[in-house]
Amino acid sequence: DTAVSQTPKYLVTQMGNDKSIKCEQNLGHDTMYWYKQDSKKFLKIMFSYNNKELIINETVPNRFSPKSPDKAHLNLHINSLELGDSAVYFCASSPPLPMAGELFFGEGSRLTVL
Amino acid sequence: GQQVMQIPQYQHVQEGEDFTTYCNSSTTLSNIQWYKQRPGGHPVFLIQLVKSGEVKKQKRLTFQFGEAKKNSSLHITATQTTDVGTYFCAGPAGGANSKLTFGKGITLSVRP
């Protein structure tokens, strides 16, 4: 069983479109994250949710809106896609703070905006 | 804010050579983690170091946490082609219970 699964794995779309990426974890973790990895492989945190509540919201355009329907799911919706949004988006989960330990990453969703 | 730095970003070695890379933080870290990302893959947790001066080994990989808890090293003995990938260090940005800040990673290539 995949611990952290993301869909879709690949997404190619035109500028201006809206798209969503879904993430699910079966590890029983309370905390989930979205990271963006650019072409230079820099991993930057975007959002973090703890038990469905937003706890980290980095300086991310408000075109990006996370949603956590329950603690096992964290979805990412992106409006009005721009060329610069092209990247690999990783979902991750971890044990809850203050036990914060390793991050378990999903396989990533590669978004290409044309 | 806290920064976690890894320099250089790329290193090439001949198979069988040893490899060492370093991670430096602008502030004292409560712990440091290392991850490996294979080409086309996702980051995978390798190790977490917590104590000052701590050394941990995983087969040919040796991880060390500095005495001042502001730096860490990863040493690979006798590199193999399976070691290729990007190695990231990460530390909590604002204290033990805060988000992880990742270094930019070092991408290791191994010539067979």
Side-chain angles (χ1 to χ4, degrees):
Chain A
D1 279 345
T2 304
V4 181
S5 58
Q6 300 178 225
T7 54
K9 286 190 168 48
Y10 300 95
L11 199 50
V12 180
T13 189
Q14 300 284 336
M15 270 197 311
N17 284 350
D18 304 339
K19 290 294 176 187
S20 292
I21 308 171
K22 295 186 175 182
C23 178
E24 176 182 4
Q25 54 97 3
N26 61 8
L27 297 166
H29 290 160
D30 283 357
T31 309
M32 295 184 72
Y33 310 80
W34 278 110
Y35 279 83
K36 179 181 179 181
Q37 187 172 49
D38 61 23
S39 57
K40 295 183 178 178
K41 297 194 175 143
F42 184 41
L43 269 170
K44 186 174 178 185
I45 190 168
M46 300 173 69
F47 302 102
S48 175
Y49 272 72
N50 187 56
N51 202 8
K52 300 192 299 176
E53 288 199 23
L54 181 66
I55 55 171
I56 294 173
N57 184 354
E58 291 297 291
T59 309
V60 175
N62 57 17
R63 299 181 294 104
F64 290 79
S65 51
K67 192 167 284 186
S68 182
D70 56 63
K71 74 174 193 177
H73 295 84
L74 180 61
N75 304 323
L76 183 65
H77 187 76
I78 315 169
N79 289 326
S80 304
L81 279 157
E82 299 177 358
L83 293 176
D85 298 332
S86 296
V88 181
Y89 292 84
F90 286 102
C91 176
S93 72
S94 73
L97 303 173
M99 295 165 50
E102 64 183 276
L103 292 179
F104 292 78
F105 283 88
E107 293 184 345
S109 298
R110 181 176 293 276
L111 171 65
T112 303
V113 182
L114 303 174
Chain B
Q2 186 236 27
Q3 291 185 32
V4 176
M5 293 160 286
Q6 292 181 260
I7 298 172
Q9 270 194 275
Y10 302 93
Q11 194 153 344
H12 312 279
V13 299
Q14 186 72 41
E15 188 174 21
E17 288 181 348
D18 290 355
F19 162 76
T20 302
T21 189
Y22 300 91
C23 174
N24 296 294
S25 170
S26 55
T27 58
T28 301
L29 299 170
S30 60
N31 67 82
I32 195 156
Q33 299 180 12
W34 285 89
Y35 291 77
K36 178 183 178 181
Q37 184 176 16
R38 293 184 186 275
H42 58 281
V44 174
F45 175 81
L46 293 176
I47 205 107
Q48 176 170 283
L49 304 169
V50 178
K51 298 177 184 174
S52 168
E54 187 172 13
V55 177
K56 287 188 177 180
K57 291 191 176 185
Q58 288 181 351
K59 297 183 181 178
R60 294 178 296 101
L61 276 60
T62 302
F63 303 85
Q64 185 163 8
F65 203 4
E67 294 290 341
K69 301 181 79 172
K70 294 180 75 172
N71 54 67
S72 180
S73 65
L74 159 61
H75 178 82
I76 304 178
T77 303
T79 53
Q80 298 177 0
T81 53
T82 52
D83 295 325
V84 299
T86 302
Y87 293 85
F88 294 94
C89 63
N97 297 331
S98 59
K99 66 180 183 186
L100 277 181
T101 297
F102 279 79
K104 292 191 175 182
I106 180 165
T107 297
L108 175 66
S109 65
V110 179
R111 293 186 297 271

